[in-house]
Every structure is written in C-alpha cells, then in structure tokens.
Amino acid sequence: GAGVSQSPRYKVAKRGQDVALRCDPISGHVSLFWYQQALGQGPEFLTYFQNEAQLDKSGLPSDRFFAERPEGSVSTLKIQRTQQEDSAVYLCASSSVDLNTEAFFGQGTRLTVV
Amino acid sequence: QKEVEQDPGPLSVPEGAIVSLNCTYSNSAFQYFMWYRQYSRKGPELLMYTYSSGNKEDGRFTAQVDKSSKYISLFIRDSQPSDSATYLCATPYSSASKIIFGSGTRLSIRP
C-alpha cells in the first residue's frame, strides 16, 4: 500500500486482557516507530526498530509492553494484562533510515480498556 | 521540563487571518525541526521540516527556527477552515532515532 497501515483501528479490551496491535510500514522503509498518544497530548515515543533490530525500547512504560518486527517489515505491539491507563491511541510510523525527519504515520489504533 | 514545549491552545481565529504557532526546546544539540498536522481521529501528517536556523516557505506555510533563543514557529497565511487541526512541533533526538513531540496546539479557523 501507499501508506502506513495499522489494524485494528479500534480495540476495546477488558482489564487484564492481552492485545496485539499490527503495523504495516511503507514498503522499503527500514525504520519503524511506535508511539502512544493520550487524549490532548502529543505522541510519546515507545520503541524504534531498524529492520528487525529493536534499537531503542526506552519508552516502553512497563514489561507488559512488548514489540517485535521479526522479518524487518510488519511489526506487532503487544500489551499484556491491559490496565485502564493503557487506554490511548497507538501510532506507528516508518521512515527511510537516514530520513527520520520524514517519518510517515499510520492512522493509529485507539485502545480502550474497560 | 519537557524537551519540546508547546502552548496547547486552543487557538481560534477568523478565516483569512495569519496564524502563528510556537514551540520552545531545551537541547541546543537539536538540529532538525518538523511540523506535523493532525486532524481529529487521524495520524500526524508531516507538513514541513527545517534544518538549523532560518526560514522555510511552502505555499501558505512558513517555518522559522531561531537557534539563539531555541524558538520554533509556524506561520499560516490566509488561513482556511480546512487548516483547523492540531499542530505538533517535533525534533529527532538524533539521527535515525526517536522523534520528540510537543503536546500540540489545537487550532480552529472560523468561517
């Protein structure tokens, strides 16, 4: 596809449930980012991949959060034992390796934990 | 102190007005600065980016960086209702790494 694709667009999870969020980056983009955006706030960095290597996971808020990109393309963000404070929009972005100034974002997955 | 600070607004102006959106940053090592536009329930969309100090113009949009005061601005001329969105300033922490965002300014253009 032409842009970054995320699925599902909306997810409602019961507290304690595990969820998996998917990101399909732009073809050929080696860098992939996950961000969390709370209501009324800017995106907050979670983790960064260059190809299949996870180079920075400093933004993951707890060990309940896990991300992978096993073949250097599609990425999955997994949240275990979801809590209400995990409710947010999860954004994925991709860019060429030397051009993180031109990162392109998907539409996000809105997660609501009830 | 957040590394990129932005007035959250909201900011409401009449159609045709010149809009000024501003951010400050704390780390003098930051070199690139970006502006993203985010419509409701959409992902951020890159508007433009600038390197170091100076101005960059793209149609009705002008981005300005003043490194001496660590101040970033986005000007929108002849504002349109379709410009109503949240505007996010951002900077890469370093080359090929995370991007740091301001909290966003919500802008509304009144017809």
Side-chain angles (χ1 to χ4, degrees), chain B residues 12 21 33 35 39 45 49 59 61 64 70 73 76 89-92 101 103 105:
Chain B
S12 180
L21 303 168
F33 303 93
W35 284 96
Y39 291 115
E45 166 197 13
Y49 71 88
F61 298 88
Q64 190 175 77
K70 300 193 187 71
S73 300
I76 308 174
C89 59
T91 182
F101 286 87
S103 57
T105 299

mmCIF file with all atom_site columns, all heavy atoms in Angstrom, chain B residues 12 21 33 35 39 45 49 59 61 64 70 73 76 89-92 101 103 105:
data_model
loop_
_atom_site.group_PDB
_atom_site.id
_atom_site.type_symbol
_atom_site.label_atom_id
_atom_site.label_alt_id
_atom_site.label_comp_id
_atom_site.label_asym_id
_atom_site.label_entity_id
_atom_site.label_seq_id
_atom_site.pdbx_PDB_ins_code
_atom_site.Cartn_x
_atom_site.Cartn_y
_atom_site.Cartn_z
_atom_site.occupancy
_atom_site.B_iso_or_equiv
_atom_site.pdbx_formal_charge
_atom_site.auth_seq_id
_atom_site.auth_comp_id
_atom_site.auth_asym_id
_atom_site.auth_atom_id
_atom_site.pdbx_PDB_model_num
ATOM 1   N N   . SER B 1 12  ? -8.335  30.084 18.343 1.00 0.00 ? 12  SER B N   1
ATOM 2   C CA  . SER B 1 12  ? -9.427  30.270 17.398 1.00 0.00 ? 12  SER B CA  1
ATOM 3   C C   . SER B 1 12  ? -9.248  31.606 16.693 1.00 0.00 ? 12  SER B C   1
ATOM 4   O O   . SER B 1 12  ? -9.134  32.646 17.356 1.00 0.00 ? 12  SER B O   1
ATOM 5   C CB  . SER B 1 12  ? -10.776 30.224 18.122 1.00 0.00 ? 12  SER B CB  1
ATOM 6   O OG  . SER B 1 12  ? -11.843 30.404 17.208 1.00 0.00 ? 12  SER B OG  1
ATOM 7   N N   . LEU B 1 21  ? 2.090   29.800 15.331 1.00 0.00 ? 21  LEU B N   1
ATOM 8   C CA  . LEU B 1 21  ? 2.173   28.690 16.286 1.00 0.00 ? 21  LEU B CA  1
ATOM 9   C C   . LEU B 1 21  ? 3.625   28.567 16.732 1.00 0.00 ? 21  LEU B C   1
ATOM 10  O O   . LEU B 1 21  ? 4.539   28.684 15.908 1.00 0.00 ? 21  LEU B O   1
ATOM 11  C CB  . LEU B 1 21  ? 1.705   27.391 15.630 1.00 0.00 ? 21  LEU B CB  1
ATOM 12  C CG  . LEU B 1 21  ? 0.290   27.426 15.052 1.00 0.00 ? 21  LEU B CG  1
ATOM 13  C CD1 . LEU B 1 21  ? 0.045   26.205 14.174 1.00 0.00 ? 21  LEU B CD1 1
ATOM 14  C CD2 . LEU B 1 21  ? -0.740  27.484 16.157 1.00 0.00 ? 21  LEU B CD2 1
ATOM 15  N N   . PHE B 1 33  ? 13.934  20.317 12.728 1.00 0.00 ? 33  PHE B N   1
ATOM 16  C CA  . PHE B 1 33  ? 12.660  20.594 13.370 1.00 0.00 ? 33  PHE B CA  1
ATOM 17  C C   . PHE B 1 33  ? 11.543  20.356 12.368 1.00 0.00 ? 33  PHE B C   1
ATOM 18  O O   . PHE B 1 33  ? 11.652  20.745 11.202 1.00 0.00 ? 33  PHE B O   1
ATOM 19  C CB  . PHE B 1 33  ? 12.627  22.037 13.896 1.00 0.00 ? 33  PHE B CB  1
ATOM 20  C CG  . PHE B 1 33  ? 13.756  22.319 14.837 1.00 0.00 ? 33  PHE B CG  1
ATOM 21  C CD1 . PHE B 1 33  ? 14.944  22.869 14.375 1.00 0.00 ? 33  PHE B CD1 1
ATOM 22  C CD2 . PHE B 1 33  ? 13.647  21.994 16.178 1.00 0.00 ? 33  PHE B CD2 1
ATOM 23  C CE1 . PHE B 1 33  ? 16.004  23.103 15.237 1.00 0.00 ? 33  PHE B CE1 1
ATOM 24  C CE2 . PHE B 1 33  ? 14.698  22.229 17.051 1.00 0.00 ? 33  PHE B CE2 1
ATOM 25  C CZ  . PHE B 1 33  ? 15.883  22.780 16.580 1.00 0.00 ? 33  PHE B CZ  1
ATOM 26  N N   . TRP B 1 35  ? 7.171   20.155 11.613 1.00 0.00 ? 35  TRP B N   1
ATOM 27  C CA  . TRP B 1 35  ? 5.790   20.471 11.969 1.00 0.00 ? 35  TRP B CA  1
ATOM 28  C C   . TRP B 1 35  ? 4.883   19.413 11.368 1.00 0.00 ? 35  TRP B C   1
ATOM 29  O O   . TRP B 1 35  ? 4.963   19.106 10.165 1.00 0.00 ? 35  TRP B O   1
ATOM 30  C CB  . TRP B 1 35  ? 5.396   21.859 11.465 1.00 0.00 ? 35  TRP B CB  1
ATOM 31  C CG  . TRP B 1 35  ? 5.972   22.961 12.296 1.00 0.00 ? 35  TRP B CG  1
ATOM 32  C CD1 . TRP B 1 35  ? 7.119   23.663 12.057 1.00 0.00 ? 35  TRP B CD1 1
ATOM 33  C CD2 . TRP B 1 35  ? 5.430   23.468 13.518 1.00 0.00 ? 35  TRP B CD2 1
ATOM 34  N NE1 . TRP B 1 35  ? 7.327   24.581 13.050 1.00 0.00 ? 35  TRP B NE1 1
ATOM 35  C CE2 . TRP B 1 35  ? 6.297   24.488 13.962 1.00 0.00 ? 35  TRP B CE2 1
ATOM 36  C CE3 . TRP B 1 35  ? 4.295   23.187 14.277 1.00 0.00 ? 35  TRP B CE3 1
ATOM 37  C CZ2 . TRP B 1 35  ? 6.083   25.207 15.131 1.00 0.00 ? 35  TRP B CZ2 1
ATOM 38  C CZ3 . TRP B 1 35  ? 4.065   23.905 15.436 1.00 0.00 ? 35  TRP B CZ3 1
ATOM 39  C CH2 . TRP B 1 35  ? 4.953   24.906 15.851 1.00 0.00 ? 35  TRP B CH2 1
ATOM 40  N N   . TYR B 1 39  ? -5.357  15.896 12.042 1.00 0.00 ? 39  TYR B N   1
ATOM 41  C CA  . TYR B 1 39  ? -6.802  16.049 12.069 1.00 0.00 ? 39  TYR B CA  1
ATOM 42  C C   . TYR B 1 39  ? -7.377  15.070 13.082 1.00 0.00 ? 39  TYR B C   1
ATOM 43  O O   . TYR B 1 39  ? -6.762  14.053 13.407 1.00 0.00 ? 39  TYR B O   1
ATOM 44  C CB  . TYR B 1 39  ? -7.411  15.805 10.690 1.00 0.00 ? 39  TYR B CB  1
ATOM 45  C CG  . TYR B 1 39  ? -7.070  16.864 9.670  1.00 0.00 ? 39  TYR B CG  1
ATOM 46  C CD1 . TYR B 1 39  ? -6.301  16.576 8.552  1.00 0.00 ? 39  TYR B CD1 1
ATOM 47  C CD2 . TYR B 1 39  ? -7.536  18.166 9.812  1.00 0.00 ? 39  TYR B CD2 1
ATOM 48  C CE1 . TYR B 1 39  ? -5.989  17.543 7.607  1.00 0.00 ? 39  TYR B CE1 1
ATOM 49  C CE2 . TYR B 1 39  ? -7.237  19.144 8.878  1.00 0.00 ? 39  TYR B CE2 1
ATOM 50  C CZ  . TYR B 1 39  ? -6.459  18.820 7.774  1.00 0.00 ? 39  TYR B CZ  1
ATOM 51  O OH  . TYR B 1 39  ? -6.159  19.799 6.853  1.00 0.00 ? 39  TYR B OH  1
ATOM 52  N N   . GLU B 1 45  ? 0.465   14.154 10.178 1.00 0.00 ? 45  GLU B N   1
ATOM 53  C CA  . GLU B 1 45  ? 0.889   14.257 8.781  1.00 0.00 ? 45  GLU B CA  1
ATOM 54  C C   . GLU B 1 45  ? 1.993   15.297 8.718  1.00 0.00 ? 45  GLU B C   1
ATOM 55  O O   . GLU B 1 45  ? 1.818   16.425 9.191  1.00 0.00 ? 45  GLU B O   1
ATOM 56  C CB  . GLU B 1 45  ? -0.318  14.688 7.946  1.00 0.00 ? 45  GLU B CB  1
ATOM 57  C CG  . GLU B 1 45  ? -0.040  15.166 6.552  1.00 0.00 ? 45  GLU B CG  1
ATOM 58  C CD  . GLU B 1 45  ? -1.227  15.943 5.986  1.00 0.00 ? 45  GLU B CD  1
ATOM 59  O OE1 . GLU B 1 45  ? -2.141  16.313 6.735  1.00 0.00 ? 45  GLU B OE1 1
ATOM 60  O OE2 . GLU B 1 45  ? -1.216  16.182 4.779  1.00 0.00 ? 45  GLU B OE2 1
ATOM 61  N N   . TYR B 1 49  ? 9.734   20.361 7.237  1.00 0.00 ? 49  TYR B N   1
ATOM 62  C CA  . TYR B 1 49  ? 10.813  20.322 8.209  1.00 0.00 ? 49  TYR B CA  1
ATOM 63  C C   . TYR B 1 49  ? 11.886  21.331 7.792  1.00 0.00 ? 49  TYR B C   1
ATOM 64  O O   . TYR B 1 49  ? 12.010  21.698 6.633  1.00 0.00 ? 49  TYR B O   1
ATOM 65  C CB  . TYR B 1 49  ? 11.382  18.917 8.368  1.00 0.00 ? 49  TYR B CB  1
ATOM 66  C CG  . TYR B 1 49  ? 12.193  18.392 7.207  1.00 0.00 ? 49  TYR B CG  1
ATOM 67  C CD1 . TYR B 1 49  ? 13.570  18.628 7.105  1.00 0.00 ? 49  TYR B CD1 1
ATOM 68  C CD2 . TYR B 1 49  ? 11.594  17.604 6.235  1.00 0.00 ? 49  TYR B CD2 1
ATOM 69  C CE1 . TYR B 1 49  ? 14.303  18.126 6.057  1.00 0.00 ? 49  TYR B CE1 1
ATOM 70  C CE2 . TYR B 1 49  ? 12.327  17.093 5.174  1.00 0.00 ? 49  TYR B CE2 1
ATOM 71  C CZ  . TYR B 1 49  ? 13.689  17.355 5.092  1.00 0.00 ? 49  TYR B CZ  1
ATOM 72  O OH  . TYR B 1 49  ? 14.411  16.846 4.041  1.00 0.00 ? 49  TYR B OH  1
ATOM 73  N N   . GLY B 1 59  ? 4.176   27.234 0.168  1.00 0.00 ? 59  GLY B N   1
ATOM 74  C CA  . GLY B 1 59  ? 2.819   27.724 -0.049 1.00 0.00 ? 59  GLY B CA  1
ATOM 75  C C   . GLY B 1 59  ? 2.437   28.731 1.011  1.00 0.00 ? 59  GLY B C   1
ATOM 76  O O   . GLY B 1 59  ? 3.139   29.720 1.235  1.00 0.00 ? 59  GLY B O   1
ATOM 77  N N   . PHE B 1 61  ? 2.462   28.215 4.158  1.00 0.00 ? 61  PHE B N   1
ATOM 78  C CA  . PHE B 1 61  ? 3.119   27.856 5.414  1.00 0.00 ? 61  PHE B CA  1
ATOM 79  C C   . PHE B 1 61  ? 4.583   28.316 5.405  1.00 0.00 ? 61  PHE B C   1
ATOM 80  O O   . PHE B 1 61  ? 5.296   28.140 4.413  1.00 0.00 ? 61  PHE B O   1
ATOM 81  C CB  . PHE B 1 61  ? 3.066   26.339 5.632  1.00 0.00 ? 61  PHE B CB  1
ATOM 82  C CG  . PHE B 1 61  ? 1.666   25.791 5.757  1.00 0.00 ? 61  PHE B CG  1
ATOM 83  C CD1 . PHE B 1 61  ? 0.954   25.406 4.639  1.00 0.00 ? 61  PHE B CD1 1
ATOM 84  C CD2 . PHE B 1 61  ? 1.074   25.675 7.003  1.00 0.00 ? 61  PHE B CD2 1
ATOM 85  C CE1 . PHE B 1 61  ? -0.336  24.904 4.752  1.00 0.00 ? 61  PHE B CE1 1
ATOM 86  C CE2 . PHE B 1 61  ? -0.212  25.174 7.126  1.00 0.00 ? 61  PHE B CE2 1
ATOM 87  C CZ  . PHE B 1 61  ? -0.913  24.799 5.998  1.00 0.00 ? 61  PHE B CZ  1
ATOM 88  N N   . GLN B 1 64  ? 9.959   28.679 10.846 1.00 0.00 ? 64  GLN B N   1
ATOM 89  C CA  . GLN B 1 64  ? 11.070  29.543 11.251 1.00 0.00 ? 64  GLN B CA  1
ATOM 90  C C   . GLN B 1 64  ? 11.740  28.941 12.468 1.00 0.00 ? 64  GLN B C   1
ATOM 91  O O   . GLN B 1 64  ? 11.070  28.482 13.406 1.00 0.00 ? 64  GLN B O   1
ATOM 92  C CB  . GLN B 1 64  ? 10.508  30.932 11.576 1.00 0.00 ? 64  GLN B CB  1
ATOM 93  C CG  . GLN B 1 64  ? 11.516  32.014 11.777 1.00 0.00 ? 64  GLN B CG  1
ATOM 94  C CD  . GLN B 1 64  ? 10.813  33.348 11.961 1.00 0.00 ? 64  GLN B CD  1
ATOM 95  O OE1 . GLN B 1 64  ? 10.284  33.650 13.020 1.00 0.00 ? 64  GLN B OE1 1
ATOM 96  N NE2 . GLN B 1 64  ? 10.777  34.138 10.896 1.00 0.00 ? 64  GLN B NE2 1
ATOM 97  N N   . LYS B 1 70  ? 16.210  29.241 20.922 1.00 0.00 ? 70  LYS B N   1
ATOM 98  C CA  . LYS B 1 70  ? 15.614  27.902 20.956 1.00 0.00 ? 70  LYS B CA  1
ATOM 99  C C   . LYS B 1 70  ? 14.097  28.006 20.758 1.00 0.00 ? 70  LYS B C   1
ATOM 100 O O   . LYS B 1 70  ? 13.298  27.466 21.532 1.00 0.00 ? 70  LYS B O   1
ATOM 101 C CB  . LYS B 1 70  ? 15.956  27.173 22.253 1.00 0.00 ? 70  LYS B CB  1
ATOM 102 C CG  . LYS B 1 70  ? 17.444  26.964 22.492 1.00 0.00 ? 70  LYS B CG  1
ATOM 103 C CD  . LYS B 1 70  ? 17.661  25.961 23.622 1.00 0.00 ? 70  LYS B CD  1
ATOM 104 C CE  . LYS B 1 70  ? 19.101  25.837 24.004 1.00 0.00 ? 70  LYS B CE  1
ATOM 105 N NZ  . LYS B 1 70  ? 19.633  27.011 24.703 1.00 0.00 ? 70  LYS B NZ  1
ATOM 106 N N   . SER B 1 73  ? 8.785   28.378 15.098 1.00 0.00 ? 73  SER B N   1
ATOM 107 C CA  . SER B 1 73  ? 7.480   28.956 14.767 1.00 0.00 ? 73  SER B CA  1
ATOM 108 C C   . SER B 1 73  ? 6.963   28.388 13.450 1.00 0.00 ? 73  SER B C   1
ATOM 109 O O   . SER B 1 73  ? 7.743   28.037 12.563 1.00 0.00 ? 73  SER B O   1
ATOM 110 C CB  . SER B 1 73  ? 7.587   30.481 14.630 1.00 0.00 ? 73  SER B CB  1
ATOM 111 O OG  . SER B 1 73  ? 8.025   31.072 15.827 1.00 0.00 ? 73  SER B OG  1
ATOM 112 N N   . ILE B 1 76  ? 0.920   30.497 9.295  1.00 0.00 ? 76  ILE B N   1
ATOM 113 C CA  . ILE B 1 76  ? -0.026  30.122 8.259  1.00 0.00 ? 76  ILE B CA  1
ATOM 114 C C   . ILE B 1 76  ? -0.684  31.394 7.745  1.00 0.00 ? 76  ILE B C   1
ATOM 115 O O   . ILE B 1 76  ? -1.314  32.129 8.515  1.00 0.00 ? 76  ILE B O   1
ATOM 116 C CB  . ILE B 1 76  ? -1.117  29.158 8.794  1.00 0.00 ? 76  ILE B CB  1
ATOM 117 C CG1 . ILE B 1 76  ? -0.493  27.958 9.500  1.00 0.00 ? 76  ILE B CG1 1
ATOM 118 C CG2 . ILE B 1 76  ? -2.010  28.683 7.637  1.00 0.00 ? 76  ILE B CG2 1
ATOM 119 C CD1 . ILE B 1 76  ? -1.498  27.034 10.185 1.00 0.00 ? 76  ILE B CD1 1
ATOM 120 N N   . CYS B 1 89  ? 4.809   20.387 16.904 1.00 0.00 ? 89  CYS B N   1
ATOM 121 C CA  . CYS B 1 89  ? 6.210   20.579 16.558 1.00 0.00 ? 89  CYS B CA  1
ATOM 122 C C   . CYS B 1 89  ? 6.987   19.360 17.054 1.00 0.00 ? 89  CYS B C   1
ATOM 123 O O   . CYS B 1 89  ? 6.560   18.682 17.999 1.00 0.00 ? 89  CYS B O   1
ATOM 124 C CB  . CYS B 1 89  ? 6.769   21.865 17.160 1.00 0.00 ? 89  CYS B CB  1
ATOM 125 S SG  . CYS B 1 89  ? 6.668   21.948 18.950 1.00 0.00 ? 89  CYS B SG  1
ATOM 126 N N   . ALA B 1 90  ? 8.105   19.081 16.395 1.00 0.00 ? 90  ALA B N   1
ATOM 127 C CA  . ALA B 1 90  ? 8.849   17.864 16.730 1.00 0.00 ? 90  ALA B CA  1
ATOM 128 C C   . ALA B 1 90  ? 10.297  18.013 16.310 1.00 0.00 ? 90  ALA B C   1
ATOM 129 O O   . ALA B 1 90  ? 10.640  18.835 15.449 1.00 0.00 ? 90  ALA B O   1
ATOM 130 C CB  . ALA B 1 90  ? 8.221   16.659 16.025 1.00 0.00 ? 90  ALA B CB  1
ATOM 131 N N   . THR B 1 91  ? 11.143  17.194 16.920 1.00 0.00 ? 91  THR B N   1
ATOM 132 C CA  . THR B 1 91  ? 12.542  17.157 16.546 1.00 0.00 ? 91  THR B CA  1
ATOM 133 C C   . THR B 1 91  ? 13.079  15.757 16.767 1.00 0.00 ? 91  THR B C   1
ATOM 134 O O   . THR B 1 91  ? 12.686  15.093 17.735 1.00 0.00 ? 91  THR B O   1
ATOM 135 C CB  . THR B 1 91  ? 13.360  18.188 17.353 1.00 0.00 ? 91  THR B CB  1
ATOM 136 O OG1 . THR B 1 91  ? 14.724  18.153 16.922 1.00 0.00 ? 91  THR B OG1 1
ATOM 137 C CG2 . THR B 1 91  ? 13.305  17.910 18.840 1.00 0.00 ? 91  THR B CG2 1
ATOM 138 N N   . PRO B 1 92  ? 13.968  15.271 15.883 1.00 0.00 ? 92  PRO B N   1
ATOM 139 C CA  . PRO B 1 92  ? 14.590  13.971 16.151 1.00 0.00 ? 92  PRO B CA  1
ATOM 140 C C   . PRO B 1 92  ? 15.583  14.123 17.287 1.00 0.00 ? 92  PRO B C   1
ATOM 141 O O   . PRO B 1 92  ? 16.321  15.109 17.354 1.00 0.00 ? 92  PRO B O   1
ATOM 142 C CB  . PRO B 1 92  ? 15.316  13.638 14.840 1.00 0.00 ? 92  PRO B CB  1
ATOM 143 C CG  . PRO B 1 92  ? 14.938  14.685 13.862 1.00 0.00 ? 92  PRO B CG  1
ATOM 144 C CD  . PRO B 1 92  ? 14.426  15.851 14.615 1.00 0.00 ? 92  PRO B CD  1
ATOM 145 N N   . PHE B 1 101 ? 8.031   14.994 20.385 1.00 0.00 ? 101 PHE B N   1
ATOM 146 C CA  . PHE B 1 101 ? 6.938   15.877 20.007 1.00 0.00 ? 101 PHE B CA  1
ATOM 147 C C   . PHE B 1 101 ? 6.589   16.839 21.133 1.00 0.00 ? 101 PHE B C   1
ATOM 148 O O   . PHE B 1 101 ? 6.716   16.513 22.319 1.00 0.00 ? 101 PHE B O   1
ATOM 149 C CB  . PHE B 1 101 ? 5.677   15.064 19.686 1.00 0.00 ? 101 PHE B CB  1
ATOM 150 C CG  . PHE B 1 101 ? 5.726   14.352 18.380 1.00 0.00 ? 101 PHE B CG  1
ATOM 151 C CD1 . PHE B 1 101 ? 6.285   13.084 18.289 1.00 0.00 ? 101 PHE B CD1 1
ATOM 152 C CD2 . PHE B 1 101 ? 5.219   14.935 17.239 1.00 0.00 ? 101 PHE B CD2 1
ATOM 153 C CE1 . PHE B 1 101 ? 6.340   12.419 17.076 1.00 0.00 ? 101 PHE B CE1 1
ATOM 154 C CE2 . PHE B 1 101 ? 5.255   14.274 16.024 1.00 0.00 ? 101 PHE B CE2 1
ATOM 155 C CZ  . PHE B 1 101 ? 5.818   13.015 15.942 1.00 0.00 ? 101 PHE B CZ  1
ATOM 156 N N   . SER B 1 103 ? 3.320   18.982 22.824 1.00 0.00 ? 103 SER B N   1
ATOM 157 C CA  . SER B 1 103 ? 1.998   18.475 23.198 1.00 0.00 ? 103 SER B CA  1
ATOM 158 C C   . SER B 1 103 ? 0.919   18.835 22.182 1.00 0.00 ? 103 SER B C   1
ATOM 159 O O   . SER B 1 103 ? -0.192  18.312 22.260 1.00 0.00 ? 103 SER B O   1
ATOM 160 C CB  . SER B 1 103 ? 1.608   19.001 24.580 1.00 0.00 ? 103 SER B CB  1
ATOM 161 O OG  . SER B 1 103 ? 1.650   20.415 24.577 1.00 0.00 ? 103 SER B OG  1
ATOM 162 N N   . THR B 1 105 ? -0.830  22.103 19.498 1.00 0.00 ? 105 THR B N   1
ATOM 163 C CA  . THR B 1 105 ? -1.716  23.265 19.646 1.00 0.00 ? 105 THR B CA  1
ATOM 164 C C   . THR B 1 105 ? -2.938  23.020 18.788 1.00 0.00 ? 105 THR B C   1
ATOM 165 O O   . THR B 1 105 ? -2.832  22.801 17.580 1.00 0.00 ? 105 THR B O   1
ATOM 166 C CB  . THR B 1 105 ? -1.038  24.568 19.197 1.00 0.00 ? 105 THR B CB  1
ATOM 167 O OG1 . THR B 1 105 ? 0.114   24.808 19.995 1.00 0.00 ? 105 THR B OG1 1
ATOM 168 C CG2 . THR B 1 105 ? -2.017  25.746 19.328 1.00 0.00 ? 105 THR B CG2 1
#
